[in-house]
Amino acid sequence: LAAFGASAALSQTALAQTVGFSQIGSESGWRAAETTLTKQQAEERGITLKFSDAQQKQENQIAAIRSFIAQGVDAILLAPVVATGWDSVLKEAKDAEIPVVLLDRQVDSDKSLYLTAVGSDLVHEGEVAGQWLVDHVAGKECRVVELQGTTGSSPAIDRKTGFEKAIAGHDNVKIVRSQTGDFTRAQGKEVMESFLQAEGRGQNICALYAHNDDMAVGAIQAIKEAGLKPGDDILVVSIDGVPDIFKAIAAGEANATVELTPNMAGPAFDALKAYMDDGTVPPKFIQTDSKLYTKADDPEGEYERRKNLGY
Ligand code: GYE
């Protein structure tokens, strides 16, 4: 038993190493929660985490990865702000034999250039949001405005694809305006103001589909300032499941959200440990699940459960 204890301790120390984390930034509450949970997980596992906030700039992420390679870290976590432009820096990490694990977004690079990707089925999230709206309007005419995530990011591309898949074949539901709000509350509010202006002070808008809750929360402010009732005059459906969207749903100011877990680091560290301890190669995609929440799903309770998770 002592021997087992010793080897277990040994394998634990085998990952008690240094991991570099190139984080996109803190553009949304969800992103802040992912950072909080990643730091907590590293702490619990005795991992030294070198953290870099790229302020949503890809060049900063590439520089951070190069710095991690130069420091000789044992592994790299990367939440890639956009899907393209990673080939050369991922090749440099591979040449340095440093495994890279992607968090919450995907890259267009060849899959041989990273160990695995932890994330949700982003297309499915868009489909769930679209299906909720199709069911909710039940055949009635519904002109939709769309707040897209960061241009060129895999969630912005895939959540649009999924939503359009769900509404295809339902001619009563159509997207009439679509623009990026860069996943932030401020830009979500700003772009929603322009949508309201362009659509008869909002009279011609039936619903808002926002690629994340933060843009929806910003847009809700704009809808109220235009004298309309969000969640009623204009339906609001978005993705992430941050505390403030549950507060809005409880208040009847939003209608539905698709939850995305901020705990991507847990599966990532587990895969890295198995790989570094005994060479276990993980699948290329470790999928987290998505769940729809509406007013019927105890939004007050969901707010309470999430409010202290670091969003
Ligand atoms: O939905 C949003 C964050 O990459 C899926 O990034 C993630 C998205 C998330 O800015 O809040």
Side-chain angles (χ1 to χ4, degrees):
L1 205 58
F4 173 77
S7 68
L10 190 68
S11 71
Q12 188 51 35
T13 50
L15 190 72
Q17 294 165 341
T18 303
V19 175
F21 178 18
S22 172
Q23 178 59 298
I24 290 173
S26 53
E27 72 282 0
S28 70
W30 184 90
R31 182 71 50 199
E34 182 187 59
T35 294
T36 301
L37 288 172
T38 303
K39 289 178 176 176
Q40 281 171 354
Q41 294 264 359
E43 179 89 21
E44 283 159 22
R45 297 166 185 246
I47 293 168
T48 301
L49 191 76
K50 290 182 177 295
F51 180 77
S52 155
D53 175 324
Q55 313 283 319
Q56 282 190 276
K57 291 185 176 61
Q58 180 175 29
E59 63 267 23
N60 292 345
Q61 292 201 280
I62 291 173
I65 293 169
R66 290 200 163 117
S67 162
F68 294 149
I69 294 170
Q71 295 174 62
V73 298
D74 301 293
I76 291 169
L77 300 181
L78 168 65
V81 60
V82 292
T84 56
W86 300 100
D87 289 358
S88 51
V89 77
L90 289 177
K91 277 197 193 88
E92 290 164 36
K94 190 172 176 77
D95 292 346
E97 294 180 1
I98 299 174
V100 175
V101 175
L102 304 180
L103 300 188
D104 71 81
R105 295 187 186 179
Q106 297 282 356
V107 298
D108 290 352
S109 301
D110 188 275
K111 295 186 183 330
S112 65
L113 293 180
Y114 56 86
L115 181 67
T116 185
V118 180
S120 60
D121 178 340
L122 298 159
V123 174
H124 176 67
E125 292 172 337
E127 273 184 282
V128 171
Q131 193 57 52
W132 174 84
L133 183 62
V134 164
D135 296 342
H136 189 83
V137 299
K140 284 198 306 295
E141 189 68 23
C142 187
R143 292 163 59 84
V144 183
V145 292
E146 179 183 26
L147 286 170
Q148 296 184 35
T150 300
T151 303
S153 68
S154 64
I157 295 163
D158 291 352
R159 285 172 177 170
K160 182 171 192 46
T161 301
F163 188 88
E164 288 173 347
K165 244 168 98 177
I167 68 172
H170 299 275
D171 297 343
N172 57 306
V173 181
K174 68 170 122 356
I175 298 174
V176 294
R177 289 184 187 277
S178 180
Q179 196 177 322
T180 184
D182 210 18
F183 282 131
T184 70
R185 292 189 183 205
Q187 290 183 58
K189 180 171 192 277
E190 216 175 287
V191 175
M192 189 66 202
E193 283 162 354
S194 69
F195 287 161
L196 289 159
Q197 202 60 42
E199 291 290 334
R201 298 290 304 146
Q203 297 306 318
N204 306 336
I205 301 173
C206 150
L208 161 67
Y209 166 50
H211 290 186
N212 81 333
D213 295 340
D214 279 63
M215 293 190 291
V217 168
I220 285 166
Q221 197 52 44
I223 294 168
K224 289 160 93 169
E225 287 172 7
L228 295 172
K229 290 199 294 293
D232 186 358
D233 296 328
I234 296 180
L235 300 170
V236 178
V237 55
S238 55
I239 301 171
D240 274 353
V242 302
D244 283 348
I245 203 67
F246 286 106
K247 205 186 269 184
I249 291 171
E253 295 180 349
N255 303 90
T257 186
V258 184
E259 179 190 39
L260 171 73
T261 175
N263 180 17
M264 302 285 172
F269 285 140
D270 289 346
L272 278 169
K273 180 166 175 13
Y275 178 69
M276 294 210 263
D277 283 358
D278 44 38
T280 308
V281 180
K284 278 299 172 184
F285 183 44
I286 299 172
Q287 186 175 322
T288 61
D289 58 9
S290 321
K291 183 174 182 295
L292 178 77
Y293 287 87
T294 66
K295 198 167 181 66
D297 301 303
D298 182 21
E300 295 85 350
E302 292 304 333
Y303 172 76
E304 287 304 317
R305 264 184 286 285
R306 288 167 169 73
K307 69 181 185 182
N308 298 321
L309 288 183
Y311 283 92

